[in-house]
Amino acid sequence: MKRILNIKWMHSLLLSVLLMGFSSCIDYKDFNKNPVVATTIDPNSQLSYIQLCMGGDWLMEQPFAYYYSGFVQQLQGDWSATHFGGEYLIDDAQFQQPWERIYTCHLKNLADILWRTEADVEQKNINAVARILKCYFFLILTDMYGDIPYFEAEQGYITGNVTPKFDEQELIYKDMHKELLEAEEQLDEKADKLIGDIIYSGDLKKWRKFANTLNFRIAMRLVKVAPELAEEWVTAICNIESGLLGVGDDALIHYMDLLDWDETEFRRNGLAQLWRSRENAPMCYFCTTMWDKLKTTNDPRLLILGRCYAEDSTDPFLRTDLTDFIIEKAPKQLESIEAIKPGFYWWDNWPAGFMDGDTYYGKECRPQLNKGFIKGDSPAIFMSYAETELLLAEAKLRWPAINDSKTVETHYSNGVKAAMGLLKNFDLGEEVSNTEMASYLSRNPLPSDKDGQLQFINEQLWILHLINPSEAYSNWRRSGYPVLKPSTEYGAAVKDSRTIPRRLKYPLFEQTYNPTGYYEAVGRMGGEDNWNCRIWWDKE
C-alpha cells in the first residue's frame, strides 16, 4: 500500500514539473477567451432581435392576454382570461413578466445600441430608431405600472447604478415626447442604412411617420390630465412635415408558423401562441360586451372575428367550423350563438343550445376567436393607419383648429374602413367588402353631440385593438369608452377587487432589490401598491 502511494506521489510531482516547464510559453489570459463568441455585435442584428421581441415574446405579452383582454371585456371564458382578468386575481408571477422581460432583455439591447452609437455620426439612423423603440417599450411599461425607473434605467453596465430611481410618469411622458421629436429630426437619408430593419426594411420616411404617430398616441393620453398640453403637443405633431402613418404605413411584422414555448424563441407571434394555449386546445371566447356591440350594430366583422368550432380534432386548425350550421339549424339562428359574461367561465350559464337529430350542440354555440388569429405566422400590429385616423377624428373634435383639412366625420370614416381592411393581413377566410363598409357607416353614423362622437370613436379603437390588448386597456382608461361595468355587476364572484383594476402592481422582487426606489414610488400612491390606484394620466 505504501509503495502504491509513493508511485502516485511521484507521478503527481512529475506532472507538476512538466506543467511548470510549459508555463513559460503559455499565455493564461487566453483561457478566459471563448474562441467562438464575438466580442462585438452589429447593432443592426440587435435591431432585428428587438423588433422580433415586440410581438414575439409571449412572456412579455402574457398579462396582455390574461388580464387586459379580460379587463376591457373583449374576451372571457377560458381559465386564464376569467381567472385573472375577469375575477381580478392578483398574481405576482404575471405582474413581473413584462417588467423583467422589457428591462432585462429588450431595453437592455436598446441601451447597448444607444451607448455604442451615441457619438458615431456614421450610425445616426440606427441610433435614432433605437431611441424611437426605447419610447415604444417604455410607454408599455409606464402605462402598465405608473412610475417606473426611466432616466437611470439600463445603466448598470455603463455607470454601475443597479438601483435606479422610480421616475414620475409625468416626467417620463415629457421626456418621451422630446426623444421622439429629436429622433424624427435625426433620421438622415444620407447616413447609415438600416439593414436589420424587419418592420420597414430601412424606409426612413416610414420611421419618421412611426415616430410622429407614437408621439401622437402619447399626446392623446393627456386629454384629461393636461388638456392644454395635449393640444400643444398634437398641434406641433400635426405640423411636422413628414406626417403620420398613412395608407400602406402600418407597422407590423409577419412571423413564422411555429409553436415553441422556448423563452428565447421570438420568430412566431407570442400573443397568438398564448391564445392557442399549451394544450393546443384554444378556448378564446368572446365576452358579451364586445360580441353584443358588434351584433347590435350589425358590424360585418362579427362573424369574421368570431367563429364557432367543434371539438373534433386535436389540431386546432382542423376543427370543424360550425358557425354557418348553427345559424341555419338553431331555432334562434344568430341569437343561439352566446358569448360569455364578464367574470364567468365557458361552463357557467350554460348556453341553451339546440338538438339536431340525435346530436346536442351546447358548448359549440360559444363564439371563439377566429382560428386565423392563433396561427404562429399571424402578424403583430404595433401601430396602424386605422389608429391614426381614429385618433385624428378625436383630436379634430377636441381642437378644430389643428392643422388638418379633414372633418371629424372623414377621419372617423377612414379609420373604420382602415380597421376593417386591416383584417386582410390575417388568414380569416373572409374579408369585409367596400360595400359592407359603406353600409355599416350608413347604419351607424356619428352622433351629433360631442360625447356621442367620443364614444363612437373610442369604441372603434376598442374593436381595432382586439389584437393589441395593451393598447385597448390604455385607451379605455384614457377615454372612458366603452363604458364598462365590473364583473360584480353581472353577478360574478371576484377575488382581489370589486372594480376593474387601473394598473398592475410592481413585481415583489423590487422590494428586495430596489427598496428605496420602490417605496418612494409606492409613497406617491398613498403608501400602498394598489392596483386600483389611477396612474398620472388616468383621470375621471
Side-chain angles (χ1 to χ4, degrees):
M1 182 69 177
K2 183 176 179 180
R3 181 173 177 272
I4 293 173
L5 290 174
N6 284 337
I7 291 173
K8 287 184 176 180
W9 179 83
M10 289 296 293
H11 284 171
S12 299
L13 178 61
L14 179 60
L15 180 61
S16 300
V17 171
L18 289 172
L19 287 174
M20 289 174 65
F22 284 122
S23 65
S24 61
C25 59
I26 294 176
D27 185 352
Y28 285 99
K29 291 184 292 183
D30 292 338
F31 285 117
N32 293 322
K33 296 180 181 179
N34 188 332
V36 297
V37 175
T39 56
T40 61
I41 186 170
D42 182 351
N44 275 280
S45 297
Q46 286 177 287
L47 177 63
S48 301
Y49 175 81
I50 292 161
Q51 289 181 349
L52 286 173
C53 293
M54 290 169 68
D57 187 352
W58 68 269
L59 280 170
M60 179 188 77
E61 296 175 293
Q62 196 159 273
F64 301 178
Y66 293 176
Y67 280 105
Y68 292 169
S69 290
F71 283 171
V72 298
Q73 298 171 15
Q74 296 169 320
L75 303 177
Q76 202 78 188
D78 81 304
W79 188 86
S80 299
T82 297
H83 186 63
F84 297 112
E87 295 184 325
Y88 313 145
L89 176 73
I90 290 174
D91 187 283
D92 180 67
Q94 300 294 326
F95 296 162
Q96 75 178 31
Q97 297 291 17
W99 183 284
E100 191 169 278
R101 300 297 291 181
I102 293 176
Y103 274 124
T104 65
C105 183
H106 316 330
L107 284 174
K108 180 174 71 174
N109 275 281
L110 286 168
D112 185 61
I113 293 175
L114 291 169
W115 178 58
R116 291 189 293 111
T117 62
E118 183 177 13
D120 189 347
V121 294
E122 295 184 359
Q123 299 189 86
K124 62 188 301 186
N125 287 332
I126 189 74
N127 180 274
V129 170
R131 294 174 76 179
I132 294 167
L133 293 179
K134 180 189 74 171
C135 293
Y136 178 86
F137 280 111
F138 267 120
L139 183 63
I140 292 174
L141 276 174
T142 188
D143 287 349
M144 183 176 290
Y145 302 100
D147 296 353
I148 58 169
Y150 178 79
F151 292 102
E152 298 178 359
E154 303 302 331
Q155 296 298 303
Y157 178 79
I158 299 169
T159 67
N161 182 0
V162 295
T163 55
K165 177 184 177 182
F166 280 57
D167 297 296
E168 295 179 42
Q169 189 176 50
E170 179 179 0
L171 301 179
I172 295 170
Y173 259 71
K174 289 179 177 178
D175 191 73
M176 289 192 298
H177 173 66
K178 175 191 72 68
E179 280 287 293
L180 289 168
L181 289 176
E182 293 178 357
E184 188 275 336
E185 291 183 351
Q186 181 178 322
L187 291 166
D188 184 354
E189 296 287 350
K190 298 178 181 179
D192 54 303
K193 305 300 181 184
L194 300 176
I195 59 175
D197 178 17
I198 299 174
I199 296 176
Y200 286 134
S201 301
D203 190 331
L204 298 187
K205 292 180 181 179
K206 291 186 178 182
W207 274 112
R208 289 192 181 94
K209 294 179 182 181
F210 183 95
N212 296 336
T213 306
L214 182 59
N215 217 349
F216 184 31
R217 178 189 278 181
I218 286 171
M220 292 300 289
R221 293 277 203 269
L222 312 188
V223 293
K224 291 182 179 178
V225 68
E228 295 83 7
L229 185 59
E231 181 180 7
E232 176 188 329
W233 286 3
V234 168
T235 301
I237 293 165
C238 287
N239 281 322
I240 298 175
E241 184 178 357
S242 53
L244 302 170
L245 294 179
V247 177
D249 296 331
D250 297 331
L252 55 83
I253 291 177
H254 286 280
Y255 285 88
M256 297 176 67
D257 193 10
L258 302 173
L259 178 67
D260 190 330
W261 292 97
D262 189 301
E263 296 178 8
T264 61
E265 175 59 81
F266 305 122
R267 294 175 300 165
R268 40 85 188 104
N269 187 312
L271 189 60
Q273 180 156 305
L274 287 165
W275 282 335
R276 183 170 172 177
S277 84
R278 285 186 179 273
E279 290 75 25
N280 214 25
M283 294 187 182
C284 304
Y285 296 103
F286 271 87
C287 182
T288 52
T289 311
M290 175 163 278
W291 186 258
D292 291 348
K293 170 59 65 175
L294 294 167
K295 187 169 64 174
T296 56
T297 57
N298 198 15
D299 194 311
R301 288 170 289 189
L302 177 70
L303 297 180
I304 297 177
L305 297 175
R307 306 295 293 178
C308 297
Y309 296 107
E311 293 183 336
D312 55 356
S313 175
T314 56
D315 185 329
F317 303 107
L318 296 180
R319 295 173 298 169
T320 302
D321 188 326
L322 296 173
T323 314
D324 297 336
F325 170 79
I326 291 171
I327 294 173
E328 178 186 353
K329 296 288 186 176
K332 295 189 294 182
Q333 297 180 305
L334 182 60
E335 294 299 318
S336 295
I337 299 177
E338 298 183 39
I340 299 168
K341 295 179 181 179
F344 290 93
Y345 296 92
W346 64 261
W347 55 83
D348 294 321
N349 304 315
W350 193 257
F354 66 99
M355 293 291 298
D356 183 67
D358 295 330
T359 304
Y360 168 70
Y361 296 90
K363 182 181 178 182
E364 294 83 358
C365 293
R366 298 290 202 196
Q368 298 185 39
L369 270 178
N370 189 310
K371 63 184 179 182
F373 290 119
I374 66 172
K375 294 183 65 176
D377 58 357
S378 64
I381 299 175
F382 312 114
M383 285 197 304
S384 66
Y385 167 60
E387 180 185 359
T388 305
E389 284 293 311
L390 290 170
L391 287 178
L392 278 170
E394 181 177 339
K396 191 71 175 180
L397 176 62
R398 292 181 180 276
W399 312 296
I402 62 172
N403 182 27
D404 180 76
S405 60
K406 297 176 183 176
T407 65
V408 174
E409 290 77 12
T410 298
H411 282 305
Y412 175 76
S413 175
N414 289 344
V416 172
K417 290 177 181 178
M420 292 180 175
L422 198 63
L423 298 177
K424 294 178 181 178
N425 289 287
F426 299 86
D427 183 13
L428 304 178
E430 190 178 352
E431 298 176 1
V432 182
S433 69
N434 292 334
T435 301
E436 289 174 317
M437 294 180 192
S439 178
Y440 173 79
L441 288 166
S442 177
R443 291 191 305 270
N444 299 277
L446 268 177
S448 58
D449 63 296
K450 182 177 180 180
D451 287 343
Q453 291 180 348
L454 287 172
Q455 177 182 346
F456 268 48
I457 292 167
N458 284 286
E459 285 179 348
Q460 289 297 326
L461 283 165
W462 174 59
I463 298 169
L464 168 69
H465 292 314
L466 171 67
I467 51 178
N468 189 355
S470 177
E471 193 56 30
Y473 182 47
S474 290
N475 197 72
W476 169 71
R477 289 178 291 165
R478 176 193 74 85
S479 69
Y481 295 111
V483 176
L484 302 177
K485 298 185 296 183
S487 301
T488 50
E489 295 197 26
Y490 294 89
V494 294
K495 301 295 194 300
D496 296 313
S497 179
R498 295 193 62 79
T499 59
I500 302 173
R502 311 299 295 196
R503 57 181 288 273
L504 296 191
K505 291 164 64 73
Y506 296 123
L508 288 177
F509 56 65
E510 286 297 300
Q511 298 179 35
T512 301
Y513 297 129
N514 191 2
T516 301
Y518 170 84
Y519 285 109
E520 283 181 357
V522 169
R524 291 193 288 267
M525 287 191 287
E528 180 187 359
D529 186 5
N530 184 353
W531 70 340
N532 287 312
C533 180
R534 292 172 181 257
I535 59 178
W536 169 66
W537 53 257
D538 180 14
K539 301 298 180 182
E540 294 191 55

